[in-house]
Amino acid sequence: MTVIGSYVMDLQEVGEGQAALVGGKGARLGELARIDGVRVPPGFCVTTEAFLRIMAQVPSIGELLDRLARLDPDDRETTRTLSSQIRRAVEGAVVPDEIAEPILRAHALLGADTACSVRSSATAEDLPTDSFAGQHDTYLNVVGPVAVLHQVRRCWASLFTDRAITYRLHRRIDHRQVRMAVVLQQMAFPQAAGVLFTADPVMSDRTVARVEACFGLGEALVAGLVEADVFRVRGDQFVARTIAVKQRAVQPSPAGGTHLLPIPSARQAQPALTDSQVARLVALGRRIEARFGHPQDVEWCLVDDDFRIVQSRPITTLFPVPATADEGYHVYVSVGHGQMMTDPMKPLGLSVFQLTAARPMVEAAGRLFVDVTPMLTSPENRSGLVEVMGRSDPLLGDALRTLLDRGIFPPALPDADPAAPPVDDADVPAVGTTVRTAGTTAPIETDPAVVVELIRRTEASVAELARNIRTRSGPALLDFILADIQELRRLLFDPRSHQVLMAGMEAVWWLDDHLHAWLGEKGAAGPLIRSVPHDVTSEMGLALLDVADAVRPYPDVVAFLHGVSHAGGAPGDFLDELAKRPGGREARETVETWLARYGMRGAGEIDLTRPRWRERPDLLVPVILGNVRNFAPGEARRRVEQGQQEARAKEREVLERLRALPDGREKAEETTSMIDRARAFIGYREYPKYGMVSRYALYQQALLAEAERLTRAGVLHSREDVFHLTFQELQDVVRTQQVDGELLRRRRDAFRSYRTLTPPRVLTSDGECLTGEYRREDVPAGALIGLSVSAGTVEGRARVVLDPARATLEPGDILVTPHTDPSWTPLFVTVSGLVTEVGGAMTHGALIAREYGLPAVVGVLDATRLIPDGQRIRLHGTDGYVEFLAD
């Protein structure tokens, strides 16, 4: 069949280069039909030209599309209303003869009585970054010309389903730029059907193909009506088989459409495919993957022992693999999991962080990873690396052990000492921190006075930077920042700073380990290190309580803040407006004092492209109001004093119990020394990052000022364009006054797609993502397991919070969130417990939870998805798990 024209094209005549005319699905089907050995059911495409002609005759379509463009993606009610209006209008449109006649002629060439599938094919689907899977409509077993035209109209209209509209809004895709073609194909009536993934999307393993199969039409799988057989194949070896009990199948109805039929009980447990058929299908998939150059999601049908391919699209959910200079096997560990910031970073933020870091890092999907292959290859360093990482994050340690158990790396030497030498820079997620294998050396002796000196030196250095950076612009500014990053590195990696960090962490580890062994008490260090000195992040949260004290006496100020909170933000003159209220001048002065000390911080602060509190002080309003509502004056002072009293009481109790043991005097003396060391040094753990972020905020201010100059000169469209350039690229732009606009567009599109991906803890060069497992059997059935980082047990209402600026918390709530960084600290004042999906024993959330006396469990996989907001839970901070309670 060859029907060529502006409105209809044969599938055999189209290919990938014609997606604008026949949509993503149509273009790929045409390309599939060109691959040797791949059978595609014959058919044709109704082109986007027909769609444009129909849209031109829909009344008020321009006004409706304008309203769509202004929609909030979360405004579901308005989305549903507009969606319904547009779809009714399109479905009711009269198809003119010049469109209807070629469609019906092409259909007749397939066979007048031939049943067809009628499928949407939008121009913005089946793309490498946006699949649009399931967003548009498909109709199976369509019989007769009247039904064909009717379903074509419905496919056109499905461009405006509420789910498709929302999908485009979230991805900032212009509704006017997307067009709809329709693919009509001869219907296949298969014995079995399903999906082939040429890379396993569940395990994110590019070396394993995954086949899902059911009896009858594949619609049963798409609709979730049946359990599928699952086959996982690596090379020519079956990794796993799961044969489901398939009780029903979707079958074509004689008069058109489909219906659900029961499967005879004798067949229900039979596999839908034989092993031989699975192997043939996987080989076919590899051929398709090779043609498109990207792992594929392939829809297939089995007809008389022959496979028909009815769709292939790129798998968009796979986490990309970092680029390497060689083809060897590599293992990468996530930096973001250690930094408690797993969101993607823009290129400028990534490049500055890389310039700051202690060791080389690689980038994938806007996240940074460290290649630990050399340490895993070394039998001497391997065990130390795994032990240290496992201590900080058990899931990370288990993931690495899983790889080692496969025998990929050479075995350890028979005489190798697994504890020596110490693993240098093993705590790869923490910038500038070297962690030794626990127990390899005695805790480091350090003079507490060095902490004061280190802090004084850092603050003096930041003040000097603030004075000097103001006078720089143009290429001199970029050179100045590059030189200052070396000063930042000198401060971060100062051996004395490292010694203090290690002294504090090893003392805490020692207390936890020894007091558990001697007294049977888990997490004993937590109460002993309450209200420690020099903890700048803990002090930041308590200082907001003092801000609330300054606001509380003034009703007009509180009312103004409520108005800002309900409006979802405030204009740039927020503090000026605040000062116009009675008492507002005093309130503004207190807020500005707080911002002078902590305003350089903010969510995702290790990325210098993210906004700071200094720029958006209105983001603090919900927390300030919560403190006004929930606490009495003087709460900050009371908390510090209470923490000190509890720490002293706990120390007396521990020492008294130790003295009653054999060799109790020696144990008590050693423990006293460790408590003193922990209290002297653990607060400093948060300070190097504070110093780094202070510098980053100054860099950001200066670079945005330079970007403003570039924007006024017409080099950039907006100052935020600089965020999508690496530091080195920005140097070239400032020097040449020229920028690659297409590069910026690609970077913006890529960043948008990165936000939909979840980074793994461990990633291999094969593309396998490993999350690790908790190998425990000592928890109740149904409980969610994590890492205990702050002891205690608490019950309360789970509040699932994804954005600290939108949190509304009440005393007693248990905060459940993907991860925390210092910007979350003010929320810790209110809650009674903490659950995170990411974190380790020495990351921010753990340290602040212990400081505030909050039971905390971190590293709980999928906590924000598995724990409903408002669910009552019991948090076992001591034993590291979460239980669900009846409401």
Side-chain angles (χ1 to χ4, degrees):
M1 178 186 71
T2 303
V3 182
I4 304 296
S6 60
Y7 296 132
V8 172
M9 295 183 71
D10 193 316
L11 273 179
Q12 298 288 339
E13 305 294 333
V14 301
E16 278 203 293
Q18 293 167 294
L21 193 59
V22 296
K25 187 180 287 100
R28 294 177 72 82
L29 282 169
E31 201 68 33
L32 283 166
R34 291 179 167 84
I35 303 174
D36 289 342
V38 175
R39 295 194 61 180
V40 175
F44 62 94
C45 297
V46 180
T47 69
T48 55
E49 294 295 324
F51 171 77
L52 289 175
R53 173 73 185 276
I54 293 298
M55 290 293 288
Q57 67 187 48
V58 174
S60 305
I61 190 63
E63 178 189 342
L64 291 170
L65 291 178
D66 287 342
R67 290 177 63 189
L68 279 186
R70 295 192 296 269
L71 273 180
D72 182 333
D74 297 323
D75 186 351
R76 297 181 181 178
E77 187 59 39
T78 306
T79 299
R80 278 194 294 268
T81 300
L82 281 175
S83 167
S84 178
Q85 290 177 4
I86 297 175
R87 284 186 288 113
R88 280 200 307 270
V90 175
E91 288 180 23
V94 175
V95 182
D97 290 345
E98 58 265 36
I99 294 177
E101 288 179 1
I103 292 175
L104 296 180
R105 283 202 309 273
H107 174 251
L109 289 173
L110 289 177
D113 298 323
T114 298
C116 293
S117 64
V118 182
R119 309 167 75 193
S120 304
S121 179
T123 54
E125 70 180 14
D126 295 351
L127 303 176
T129 57
D130 295 302
S131 75
F132 275 83
Q135 304 304 315
H136 307 124
D137 290 348
T138 289
Y139 302 97
L140 301 179
N141 196 31
V142 179
V143 179
V146 174
V148 163
L149 283 180
H150 177 64
Q151 304 299 29
V152 166
R153 280 196 299 265
R154 293 181 71 185
C155 282
W156 285 330
S158 75
L159 189 66
F160 301 102
T161 62
D162 50 357
R163 61 185 182 272
I165 290 169
T166 301
Y167 192 96
R168 290 195 295 271
L169 286 171
H170 276 294
R171 286 157 179 78
R172 300 178 183 176
I173 297 173
D174 188 345
H175 302 292
R176 293 178 180 273
Q177 299 303 315
V178 183
R179 302 172 182 179
M180 181 66 80
V182 183
V183 175
L184 292 91
Q185 287 178 281
Q186 189 179 87
M187 185 70 189
F189 299 105
Q191 290 78 49
V195 184
L196 159 67
F197 300 97
T198 61
D200 189 337
V202 177
M203 305 301 294
S204 197
D205 188 346
R206 287 165 172 79
T207 67
V208 172
R210 180 185 179 96
V211 175
E212 298 183 2
C214 66
F215 292 126
L217 293 167
E219 190 71 10
L221 285 184
V222 174
L225 299 174
V226 299
E227 291 290 323
D229 295 343
V230 178
F231 305 87
R232 299 181 67 240
V233 182
R234 178 182 284 117
D236 58 358
Q237 300 294 315
F238 280 74
V239 176
R241 293 180 191 79
T242 303
I243 307 303
V245 176
K246 299 170 287 295
Q247 298 179 334
R248 298 177 295 178
V250 172
Q251 298 288 0
S253 301
T258 62
H259 62 292
L260 202 59
L261 284 178
I263 295 174
S265 57
R267 286 192 67 207
Q268 289 179 3
Q270 293 179 3
L273 295 177
T274 66
D275 284 1
S276 172
Q277 289 169 335
V278 170
R280 277 197 287 129
L281 179 60
V282 169
L284 202 59
R286 293 295 179 213
R287 200 176 304 168
I288 294 170
E289 180 183 66
R291 178 61 170 257
F292 291 116
H294 191 282
Q296 297 291 297
D297 166 355
V298 180
E299 294 183 19
W300 55 269
C301 298
L302 181 68
V303 181
D304 299 328
D305 197 37
D306 194 12
F307 287 104
R308 307 285 199 275
I309 304 301
V310 296
Q311 186 167 335
S312 184
R313 62 169 70 92
I315 302 174
T316 60
T317 57
L318 293 173
F319 200 85
V321 178
T324 57
D326 60 71
E327 296 182 358
Y329 185 78
H330 292 264
V331 178
Y332 306 99
V333 169
S334 167
V335 172
H337 282 78
Q339 288 293 328
M340 299 289 277
M341 211 290 279
T342 56
D343 297 341
M345 298 167 65
K346 292 174 184 171
L348 184 59
L350 281 170
S351 59
V352 171
F353 193 85
Q354 287 175 294
L355 289 169
T356 307
R359 59 188 305 137
M361 297 178 179
V362 294
E363 181 269 337
R367 281 82 168 188
L368 292 170
F369 295 82
V370 170
D371 187 348
V372 297
T373 312
M375 285 177 278
L376 292 176
T377 304
S378 164
E380 297 86 354
N381 281 333
R382 179 188 307 153
S383 58
L385 172 73
V386 175
E387 181 181 348
V388 169
M389 291 197 169
R391 182 168 190 131
S392 174
D393 183 340
L395 291 173
L396 177 54
D398 184 76
L400 292 174
R401 290 187 190 94
T402 298
L403 288 176
L404 293 176
D405 289 346
R406 294 179 184 173
I408 298 171
F409 299 101
L413 300 175
D415 298 327
D417 178 359
V423 178
D424 192 29
D425 287 335
D427 185 14
V428 291
V431 174
T433 300
T434 303
V435 173
R436 299 167 184 246
T437 305
T440 60
T441 62
I444 303 169
E445 296 290 346
T446 306
D447 180 1
V450 75
V451 175
V452 177
E453 170 58 22
L454 288 169
I455 291 174
R456 186 205 62 76
R457 191 183 62 169
T458 296
E459 290 184 344
S461 179
V462 171
E464 182 181 6
L465 168 64
R467 288 191 300 271
N468 294 335
I469 201 169
R470 296 191 190 111
T471 63
R472 266 65 174 193
S473 64
L477 170 65
L478 278 295
D479 292 342
F480 176 79
I481 291 175
L482 195 60
D484 190 77
I485 289 174
Q486 300 311 307
E487 168 67 6
L488 169 57
R489 286 172 53 85
R490 187 178 67 82
L491 293 169
L492 284 174
F493 308 142
D494 185 324
R496 292 185 304 162
S497 179
H498 169 69
Q499 190 179 38
V500 168
L501 289 168
M502 288 306 306
M505 288 190 296
E506 290 193 354
V508 170
W509 287 339
W510 189 97
L511 289 167
D512 275 337
D513 290 347
H514 285 74
L515 295 182
H516 184 215
W518 291 338
L519 301 177
E521 185 172 344
K522 295 180 181 179
L528 294 167
I529 56 173
R530 297 282 307 278
S531 297
V532 296
H534 311 305
D535 187 343
V536 67
T537 304
S538 174
E539 293 163 0
M540 176 181 69
L542 295 175
L544 266 185
L545 289 168
D546 293 332
V547 173
D549 287 351
V551 166
R552 191 180 289 105
Y554 303 108
D556 288 346
V557 170
V558 174
F560 172 73
L561 295 180
H562 274 294
V564 170
S565 180
H566 292 150
D573 57 356
F574 159 63
L575 291 177
D576 292 336
E577 289 297 316
L578 174 66
K580 295 176 182 177
R581 275 68 184 170
R585 189 165 297 178
E586 294 85 346
R588 181 179 69 175
E589 182 178 337
T590 306
V591 172
E592 288 178 336
T593 299
W594 190 93
L595 290 172
R597 174 68 169 158
Y598 307 110
M600 76 293 293
R601 313 207 81 159
E605 62 188 11
I606 65 170
D607 179 358
L608 65 71
T609 71
R610 298 281 287 266
R612 312 284 147 168
W613 282 326
R614 189 178 290 152
E615 306 163 39
R616 291 289 311 278
D618 56 294
L619 296 178
L620 299 168
V621 169
V623 179
I624 295 172
L625 288 173
N627 290 345
V628 169
R629 181 177 65 251
N630 297 323
F631 302 107
E635 178 68 15
R637 183 186 67 257
R638 280 194 300 275
R639 288 198 173 211
V640 172
E641 293 172 351
Q642 180 182 349
Q644 292 171 343
Q645 291 169 5
E646 290 177 359
R648 286 193 293 267
K650 183 64 177 178
E651 180 174 2
R652 288 193 297 269
E653 177 215 323
V654 165
L655 296 178
E656 183 177 342
R657 292 166 63 191
L658 288 174
R659 291 188 187 105
L661 299 176
D663 300 322
R665 181 178 174 183
E666 292 80 2
K667 289 183 173 70
E669 288 178 354
E670 199 171 3
T671 300
T672 299
S673 174
M674 290 301 174
I675 292 172
D676 291 344
R677 187 171 292 129
R679 290 191 61 80
F681 303 134
I682 197 61
Y684 180 75
R685 170 73 175 168
E686 289 285 292
Y687 202 87
K689 189 174 186 178
Y690 173 79
M692 180 183 80
V693 170
S694 297
R695 297 186 105 85
Y696 277 11
L698 291 169
Y699 298 164
Q700 184 199 64
Q701 286 181 325
L703 291 173
L704 283 174
E706 187 65 28
E708 194 66 51
R709 288 187 281 271
L710 291 170
T711 303
R712 289 197 299 269
V715 178
L716 302 176
H717 290 296
S718 71
R719 66 176 195 162
E720 284 74 21
D721 283 347
V722 297
F723 293 158
H724 294 285
L725 298 168
T726 67
F727 187 87
Q728 295 81 359
E729 290 166 346
L730 180 55
Q731 282 184 299
D732 292 338
V733 170
V734 171
R735 188 182 68 254
T736 65
Q737 298 290 291
Q738 293 182 336
V739 69
D740 184 344
E742 178 61 22
L743 173 67
L744 290 175
R745 186 194 65 77
R746 290 198 307 270
R747 293 270 176 82
R748 283 191 293 267
D749 290 345
F751 181 76
R752 174 172 54 81
S753 69
Y754 295 160
R755 294 168 67 181
T756 66
L757 300 176
T758 300
R761 281 174 165 79
V762 176
L763 175 66
T764 74
S765 52
D766 286 342
E768 182 179 5
C769 297
L770 294 98
T771 58
E773 298 179 18
Y774 291 107
R775 304 182 187 276
R776 295 177 55 185
E777 299 179 356
D778 59 337
V779 298
L784 304 181
I785 304 173
L787 173 64
S788 167
V789 296
S790 186
T793 300
V794 65
E795 295 181 9
R797 177 182 64 164
R799 293 313 309 263
V800 178
V801 179
L802 305 180
D803 180 354
R806 298 186 177 185
T808 302
L809 298 166
E810 299 292 338
D813 286 346
I814 298 174
L815 176 62
V816 180
T817 186
H819 51 75
T820 66
D821 62 14
S823 69
W824 292 74
T825 300
L827 303 184
F828 287 25
V829 173
T830 303
V831 299
S832 62
L834 173 68
V835 179
T836 70
E837 297 176 337
V838 174
M842 286 293 166
T843 48
H844 158 78
L847 290 168
I848 303 304
R850 290 194 291 267
E851 164 64 24
Y852 286 1
L854 302 176
V857 179
V858 302
V860 180
L861 285 174
D862 295 326
T864 57
R865 181 176 62 85
L866 297 175
I867 302 176
D869 185 48
Q871 168 74 44
R872 285 192 59 77
I873 59 175
R874 181 181 295 121
L875 172 60
H876 294 264
T878 304
D879 295 313
Y881 64 92
V882 180
E883 281 186 287
F884 293 89
L885 301 176
D887 290 335

